């Protein structure tokens, strides 16, 4: 039982470290997409780019397969992120960002 708890704690520590890395990566990604939104707003471009989004979904689904991750999960994750990015871009275009 002690060996199992030790291993469980070690694995949870690894998960915690990866979660921290994911949050920092997301923060960096949103900093870049903030700049994209500002550029789009100045150029009068729409907040959403469905063609780019479709290409990104296809690309990440393929990466997920290579990484032995469920491609449905990868697509759901990217779809959520893109929805947030578009929401931020719309705010920027309205002068709220």
């Amino acid at each position: 039982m002690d060996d199992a708890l030790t291993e469980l704690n070690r694995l949870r520590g690894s998960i915690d470290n990866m979660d921290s890395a994911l949050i920092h990566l997301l923060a960096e990604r949103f900093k870049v997409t903030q700049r994209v939104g500002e550029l789009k707003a100045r150029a009068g471009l729409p907040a959403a780019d469905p063609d780019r989004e479709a290409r990104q979904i296809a690309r990440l689904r393929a990466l997920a397969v290579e990484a032995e991750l469920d491609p449905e999960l990868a697509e759901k994750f990217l779809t959520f992120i893109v929805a947030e990015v578009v929401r931020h871009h719309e705010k920027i275009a309205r002068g709220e960002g």
Side-chain angles (χ1 to χ4, degrees):
M1 183 69 153
D2 287 341
D3 289 344
L5 290 176
T6 298
E7 181 67 1
L8 180 62
N9 286 331
R10 186 189 69 75
L11 291 170
R12 286 179 173 167
S14 293
I15 290 168
D16 292 350
N17 289 338
M18 287 182 268
D19 287 346
S20 295
L22 285 170
I23 293 301
H24 287 283
L25 285 171
L26 278 172
E28 288 302 311
R29 189 185 195 287
F30 274 89
K31 287 174 188 172
V32 173
T33 61
Q34 175 81 16
R35 292 195 305 263
V36 169
E38 292 163 358
L39 286 170
K40 284 182 172 184
R42 281 197 303 272
L45 296 170
D49 185 344
D51 291 336
R52 162 112 172 118
E53 293 162 20
R55 287 190 310 272
Q56 282 296 90
I57 287 171
R59 187 177 77 82
L60 289 186
R61 285 183 69 92
L63 287 172
V65 169
E66 289 175 21
E68 299 180 3
L69 177 70
D70 180 359
E72 291 293 320
L73 173 62
E75 183 172 344
K76 287 177 186 177
F77 181 70
L78 182 65
T79 299
F80 173 76
I81 290 173
V82 168
E84 283 299 301
V85 168
V86 169
R87 188 175 67 81
H88 290 189
H89 288 184
E90 289 169 343
K91 285 177 67 174
I92 292 167
R94 291 191 305 265
E96 299 173 11

